[in-house]
Amino acid sequence: MSEVKYSKEHEWIKLEGEIATIGITKHATEMLGDIVFTELPEKGSNVEKDGTAGVVESTKAASDVYTPVSGEVVDLNQSIVDDPSKINQDPENSAWFFKLKIKDKSEMDTLMNKDEYDIFAKESSA
Amino acid sequence: MDTKKTSLYQLHQHSKAKFVEFAGYQMPIQYAEGIVEEHRYTRNHSGIFDVSHMGQLFIYGQEDLVDDLERIFPLDLKNLKLNHSKYSFLMSDNAGIYDDLIITKIKDGFLIILNAACKENDYKILKELLNDKYKMILDEERSLIAIQGPKSVEILKSVIQGVENLNFMSGNWFTLDDHNIYVTRSGYTGEDGFEVSLTNEFAVRFTRRLIDKGAKLIGLGARDTLRLEAGLCLYGHELSKDKTPVEANLKWAISKERILKGNFIGSDIITKQLNHGVNKIRVGIKPEGRIIAREKTKIYSESNSEIGEITSGTFGPSVNGPVAMGYVENKFSKNDTKIFLEVRGKKHPATICGLPFYKKSYVKGVNK
């Protein structure tokens, strides 16, 4: 069974075996507004938990994307680079950002579950 | 100091605006549909902009006032016809720009539309320069509503008959439900449109009528992408006290007659710059690909020397790509010059290009 967790930087992460799929939450897209530019990490690079692993830009401003866990980047979603508006349309499903082969499964335990994140998101936008 | 609210504040709230503080006012940055959709709606249909935070300065006087204002503004005000408008600047002695503005000849004097962040200071400077000789009212009792986009003329004329006869950069008084309304055919989006000055108490009712006719409220976010695509300067970004109108590539706004005669504030520097050129000048910049270069992005030449800085940069929804303006050394300012923009530590290729990025023609010949 796959497990979805959330970070305080508004990323979601879905773990299947040792492969994690990472994207930004619907709440994040609502705060950002229309996304018009995306930059992803390099395939094959190693990223560290809480380090930057990409950029999204709205018409208003640029924001870093962080990785909630450490690992090696094994796949990228080119379709959101070609058409960043897809992130606004389907952020928590088809508009994933990158996939990692994760280094340390225990890092998942530091993240929030859905209910915890919903409360966190509500409070952080209040 | 508390932030101020415009007369339309509650209407913005009802329309699900996200607010931002701008020049001391709570202003809508966007509504529910978002900046890109609001931008497109303005280009294709009709957008309503609350610009009531901007200053509406009425100065009353006759020929003396014209003479005195000509010592301040680089304009041929003696030949400015009743109800006609000009774009101009309030400058310091060394031609630095305190504000950019629209000045309109009205029956008893002039109406000057000022930027919100500058209006109080402009008022002080003008009062002093005019030696307190004239009645001056920075009118807080009036709102200013812009309606912009191709359907605006149809919509506005169904509310105020006769506005369709106005030419670009001209205006007139109209009466609606016993309210005196001053309408000019102008705006800051690159679209045909109007700016409507009316009393605060009437502002909501008037705006609701425009909405009923199909216009939509548009926030400051889309106002910024629209004006940038149209190649128009924004005070505090392209324009400041450290820039002159010649450096800002706005010499078209300076009257040729007045340059010959000089005798306006800043005229020495302006004349010198027109004759000998400037070190840096404002240009349009088109980044390659999708990379967005924001304000303060450094600009490099092909040989990797730093030659300038971006002043505004965003994604242009109608251009469907990134657009920017900035200042570069004069010798790199020719169209099609290859440059590099440093974004997040990497240099990205871009090209100097002509402005605007997006062009439509303004209405000029309706009332011959």
Side-chain angles (χ1 to χ4, degrees):
Chain A
M1 210 192 88
S2 67
E3 177 187 20
V4 183
K5 292 259 183 136
Y6 299 84
S7 76
K8 287 187 173 170
E9 300 290 349
H10 306 284
E11 286 92 23
W12 56 266
I13 172 165
K14 186 166 126 187
L15 187 63
E16 289 161 299
E18 51 179 16
I19 301 298
T21 306
I22 291 159
I24 66 171
T25 63
K26 186 160 190 297
H27 176 75
T29 63
E30 282 163 2
M31 288 191 297
L32 289 166
D34 300 307
I35 295 167
V36 293
F37 176 80
T38 322
E39 201 171 86
L40 296 174
E42 272 176 45
K43 201 167 166 174
S45 65
N46 284 294
V47 290
E48 291 293 318
K49 177 175 163 59
D50 301 329
T52 58
V55 174
V56 284
E57 295 205 35
S58 70
T59 42
K60 286 175 279 188
S63 311
D64 285 325
V65 176
Y66 300 91
T67 175
V69 298
S70 310
E72 183 194 340
V73 180
V74 292
D75 201 3
L76 302 173
N77 187 356
Q78 186 60 32
S79 76
I80 63 164
V81 176
D82 298 337
D83 181 6
S85 69
K86 286 187 172 154
I87 302 165
N88 291 96
Q89 290 156 18
D90 192 20
E92 299 196 17
N93 193 16
S94 64
W96 55 276
F97 276 53
F98 52 89
K99 294 189 188 207
L100 293 182
K101 187 176 172 190
I102 69 164
K103 212 162 85 179
D104 178 2
K105 266 192 187 174
S106 71
E107 285 180 350
M108 289 293 284
D109 301 337
T110 64
L111 302 169
M112 291 175 274
N113 65 30
K114 175 94 175 110
D115 291 344
E116 288 166 338
Y117 175 72
D118 286 345
I119 293 166
F120 171 79
K122 215 171 179 181
E123 282 171 355
S124 64
S125 61
Chain B
M1 202 180 77
D2 283 344
T3 53
K4 292 189 254 186
K5 294 179 174 118
T6 69
S7 307
L8 296 189
Y9 181 79
Q10 284 186 326
L11 183 60
H12 297 316
Q13 270 188 320
H14 287 303
S15 310
K16 300 195 168 60
K18 282 188 190 169
F19 288 93
V20 60
E21 195 187 320
F22 181 82
Y25 286 81
Q26 282 294 316
M27 298 302 291
I29 182 106
Q30 66 170 83
Y31 301 85
E33 292 188 42
I35 293 172
V36 171
E37 186 47 39
E38 289 171 30
H39 176 112
R40 293 199 176 118
Y41 199 79
T42 307
R43 288 265 185 260
N44 299 325
H45 202 277
S46 178
I48 304 166
F49 301 77
D50 180 10
V51 284
S52 304
H53 56 315
M54 297 184 82
Q56 300 183 55
L57 176 62
F58 290 85
I59 307 182
Y60 297 100
Q62 298 303 324
E63 271 138 48
D64 279 8
L65 175 60
V66 174
D67 289 338
D68 285 344
L69 288 179
E70 281 205 346
R71 280 191 272 278
I72 299 171
F73 300 116
L75 292 174
D76 186 6
L77 292 174
K78 285 194 182 72
N79 289 311
L80 183 62
K81 286 187 215 145
L82 181 64
N83 291 318
H84 283 239
S85 309
K86 289 281 180 190
Y87 176 69
S88 195
F89 333 92
L90 182 59
M91 291 182 283
S92 65
D93 288 332
N94 48 17
I97 302 171
Y98 283 124
D99 200 0
D100 64 328
L101 51 92
I102 300 275
I103 181 164
T104 304
K105 176 82 188 81
I106 53 172
K107 202 170 125 241
D108 307 311
F110 291 90
L111 165 61
I112 309 180
I113 304 295
L114 303 163
N115 278 303
C118 307
K119 63 182 179 182
E120 304 285 346
N121 191 43
D122 295 344
Y123 179 84
K124 264 199 298 199
I125 292 170
L126 284 168
K127 204 169 177 69
E128 207 178 296
L129 290 171
L130 294 169
N131 294 316
D132 220 351
K133 249 166 79 182
Y134 306 96
K135 185 175 156 194
M136 288 174 57
I137 299 171
L138 187 56
D139 201 335
E140 301 280 331
E141 307 295 315
R142 295 184 81 82
S143 296
L144 191 65
I145 314 290
I147 175 166
Q148 301 277 297
K151 299 278 194 278
S152 301
V153 61
E154 291 301 316
I155 289 170
L156 191 61
K157 88 171 185 192
S158 72
V159 179
I160 311 172
Q161 279 167 28
V163 296
E164 69 275 16
N165 295 321
L166 295 172
N167 282 319
F168 184 61
M169 293 300 269
S170 72
N172 215 336
W173 288 100
F174 295 86
T175 308
L176 182 63
D177 299 358
D178 296 327
H179 293 274
N180 287 323
I181 300 183
Y182 196 75
V183 182
T184 58
R185 197 160 202 163
S186 57
Y188 221 63
T189 59
E191 296 293 326
D192 180 28
F194 301 85
E195 289 187 349
V196 180
S197 164
L198 72 182
T199 57
N200 290 339
E201 57 171 57
F202 191 48
V204 171
R205 252 193 301 157
F206 173 77
T207 306
R208 281 193 188 281
R209 282 202 215 175
L210 300 179
I211 294 170
D212 288 345
K213 303 278 182 189
K216 281 188 186 171
L217 286 165
I218 309 296
L220 289 180
R223 187 171 166 79
D224 194 48
T225 55
L226 289 159
R227 70 92 197 167
L228 186 42
E229 280 188 346
L232 298 167
C233 295
L234 182 61
Y235 195 84
H237 300 264
E238 284 69 42
L239 308 180
S240 70
K241 253 180 75 181
D242 308 324
K243 300 284 188 325
T244 72
V246 185
E247 290 164 338
N249 214 347
L250 296 169
K251 63 182 177 195
W252 57 267
I254 305 170
S255 155
K256 291 193 182 72
E257 286 290 304
R258 296 299 315 284
I259 289 164
L260 292 174
K261 290 188 198 127
N263 195 29
F264 58 86
I265 293 170
S267 56
D268 291 351
I269 301 283
I270 298 269
T271 307
K272 198 173 136 203
Q273 289 187 339
L274 285 172
N275 290 335
H276 298 100
V278 291
N279 293 331
K280 283 195 178 170
I281 192 156
R282 179 178 64 101
V283 291
I285 293 163
K286 187 88 192 73
E288 282 179 23
R290 297 189 70 96
I291 195 89
I292 298 170
R294 307 251 175 211
E295 186 173 7
K296 298 208 158 54
T297 297
K298 289 193 168 125
I299 306 172
Y300 293 85
S301 68
E302 277 191 302
S303 59
N304 208 22
S305 61
E306 197 180 321
I307 56 167
E309 200 174 90
I310 299 281
T311 47
S312 294
T314 189
F315 174 82
S318 304
V319 174
N320 195 25
V323 290
M325 292 195 281
Y327 283 81
V328 296
E329 288 174 22
N330 205 9
K331 63 179 169 189
F332 297 100
S333 67
K334 277 208 190 75
N335 284 355
D336 304 323
T337 304
K338 295 277 171 216
I339 54 168
F340 288 88
L341 308 172
E342 190 177 70
V343 179
R344 292 182 286 273
K346 267 193 242 167
K347 296 208 171 80
H348 299 267
T351 312
I352 304 287
C353 67
L355 294 168
F357 295 100
Y358 181 88
K359 192 175 167 110
K360 272 192 194 167
S361 54
Y362 298 113
V363 174
K364 280 176 181 156
V366 288
N367 196 16
K368 276 176 184 161

